[in-house]
Structure formats: structure tokens, C-alpha cells
Amino acid sequence: VIGAALATLVANCIACAYLVIMLRKAVKTAPLSLSPRDLRAIGKEEIREVFSVGIPSAILTGLFEIAHIVLNHLMSVHGDLQLAAIGIVSKLGRLPTAVNVGLCHGMMPLVSYNFASGNHRRMNDTLRITTVFGLAVAFGAIALFEIFTTPISRMFMNTSAGDAALAAATVGYTARFLRIAALASPFQFINFSTSYSMQAVGYGKGAFIHSLVRQLGFYIPFLYLLDVLFGADGLAGALIAGELCGGLFALWLFARWKRSHVTSQAA
């Protein structure tokens, strides 16, 4: 465990150093700076825009961790094996999520530029293309996790050494939970893509509201409700219900904003 912690520390230090080096190179040709003295040139409006984008992302990350704590707390009541299994499922779920978050990060500057320049057709084309690729990744993950559920689950457990019976039981729970939770992948992408789109066009208030409602209004309450109704399986299924409701809410927020801003600007 100590070795794994040290590996995380060393890897992050190396990655940070690499990014600083790349940023120093970019400063030569791009309007970027690492000097604290240049902070004096930043106006209040720029600071407000930075925080309008950054705060929703920070809250989203924080609430995600809080929701994960609640999930672990509720699952621990059902047993250590179930708790270990849902932990594995959460790690597996981050694979398609990481790809789709990368797509959203790549989409943001294109959406921002085209919205600011008034090219709404190209902005909408960017959103559509991102949606097509993002949903393709999500449904591909569902197919992968549903077809190869058990082999993928076994990658995290050694069933030939130690207590093989407990390891095999954990694999069984993991496969069971993974088949359920994997179905949330498309809804997760919709949540991410819509939230990042709202941040890209400067609608920080909408992204902030969505971050709160997604976790506190939908996912965490569903964890408690479905735990009572269906037990451990309900905790795995709460991700589907929470992400579906969160995605619909995000789409409604963004559509309402587009009607009042994009349509009025086009007119």
C-alpha cells in the first residue's frame, strides 16, 4: 500500500514538471504567462469569468467524492466483499468517463470561440460531433462490460492464491454490479458534455446549479432510496437513475439558455 502511494506521488510530480516545461515553451508563442507580476493586468471581469468556469468544475469534483463516500458507507453495511466489488466497478467506470471527459475538454475551446464569434452553426456542429463520438464510446463501453464482464472482473482479483473462495465471490459481485452500473455510461456522457458546454459559453450559473442538483438532488437520494428497495443491487442501479435524471436536467438547463441567448443573438 505504501508503495502504491509513493508511485502516485512520484507520477504526479513527474506529470506536473512536464506540464510546467510545456507551458514555459508555450509562453514563447502564446499569450500565456507564469509570472505573478502579470496578475496585476487581469481585470475583475476576467477574474469573474475564470471563477464562473472553475467553481462548477471544483464543486462537481467535490460532490462526486462525497457521493462516493455515501456509496461506500451504504455498501459497507452489506458486507466487505460487496464493498470491494463496488470499488472495482467504480474504477472500471472511470475508463469510458476519462475518454469522454477528454472529448469534452477538446470541445470546450471550439464551442467558446464559435459562440463568441457568433458562428452558432459551427458551434452546434461541434456539439453534435462530440455527442456522436461520446455516445459511441459510452455504448462501446456497455458492450465491452456486458460481454466480457467476468474476465474483466477477474483482472482485479487473484483467484488462484490466498483465499480463492473469497476472491471468487468478490469477482461474482463485481460482475453483477458492473452489468448494472455500465448502463449509466451514456447518461454520464450527457451530463459531462452538457455541463462543459455551459461552461464553454460562460453559463457558469447553469453549470453550478447542475453540479448541485445532479449529486445532491438526484444521485445521493437515489442511493438511499434504492438501497432500501433493492439492497446492494439498488446501490449499483442508483448510478443509472441519478445520471439519467441529471442528464435530462442538464439538457433542459442548456436548452433554456440557448433559447434566450443564441436565438436572440441570431435575430
Side-chain angles (χ1 to χ4, degrees):
V1 174
I2 295 175
L6 289 174
T8 302
L9 171 63
V10 173
N12 278 281
C13 289
I14 294 173
C16 183
Y18 170 80
L19 290 173
V20 171
I21 292 171
M22 291 298 103
L23 185 57
R24 289 178 64 87
K25 290 183 177 181
V27 166
K28 299 177 182 179
T29 56
L32 302 171
S33 176
L34 291 174
S35 175
R37 291 177 297 178
D38 292 330
L39 289 172
R40 292 177 296 181
I42 300 177
K44 292 183 179 180
E45 182 63 23
E46 287 80 5
I47 294 175
R48 186 190 67 81
E49 291 178 355
V50 168
F51 278 95
S52 71
V53 173
I55 289 177
S57 294
I59 291 176
L60 179 62
T61 303
L63 290 177
F64 174 82
E65 297 301 334
I66 292 174
H68 198 68
I69 291 172
V70 173
L71 172 62
N72 285 345
H73 175 73
L74 294 176
M75 188 64 80
S76 65
V77 177
H78 298 282
D80 293 340
L81 302 186
Q82 291 89 332
L83 179 61
I86 202 65
I88 295 173
V89 171
S90 297
K91 292 178 175 62
L92 287 169
R94 291 175 184 173
L95 296 175
T97 298
V99 176
N100 280 331
V101 167
L103 285 173
C104 293
H105 277 298
M107 167 197 73
M108 284 185 72
L110 296 174
V111 171
S112 296
Y113 176 81
N114 288 295
F115 172 72
S117 64
N119 194 342
H120 299 141
R121 181 189 61 80
R122 192 178 181 193
M123 181 189 79
N124 290 326
D125 288 343
T126 301
L127 293 173
R128 278 193 291 269
I129 291 171
T130 304
T131 300
V132 169
F133 279 96
L135 290 178
V137 171
F139 283 107
I142 290 177
L144 179 68
F145 290 152
E146 295 292 344
I147 296 173
F148 302 103
T149 310
T150 301
I152 292 174
S153 302
R154 287 183 181 276
M155 293 171 59
F156 290 82
M157 299 295 298
N158 187 346
T159 57
S160 60
D163 196 329
L166 286 179
T170 304
V171 169
Y173 282 119
T174 302
R176 182 170 163 180
F177 296 156
L178 182 59
R179 289 191 178 97
I180 299 171
L183 299 177
S185 293
F187 310 129
Q188 284 181 313
F189 167 74
I190 292 173
N191 276 286
F192 281 116
S193 63
T194 310
S195 178
Y196 277 86
S197 297
M198 288 190 284
Q199 294 175 53
V201 298
Y203 187 31
K205 178 181 177 181
F208 175 76
I209 295 172
H210 170 248
S211 298
L212 292 176
V213 173
R214 178 187 176 189
Q215 300 293 346
L216 299 181
F218 294 128
Y219 183 45
I220 293 178
F222 272 123
L223 283 172
Y224 284 99
L225 175 63
L226 297 183
D227 180 40
V228 172
L229 295 177
F230 304 106
D233 290 344
L235 290 174
L239 185 64
I240 303 173
E243 295 295 77
L244 171 60
C245 293
L248 292 175
F249 180 68
L251 290 172
W252 175 78
L253 273 177
F254 193 40
R256 190 181 67 167
W257 178 89
K258 288 177 70 174
R259 283 196 300 269
S260 61
H261 288 75
V262 174
T263 304
S264 60
Q265 287 189 16

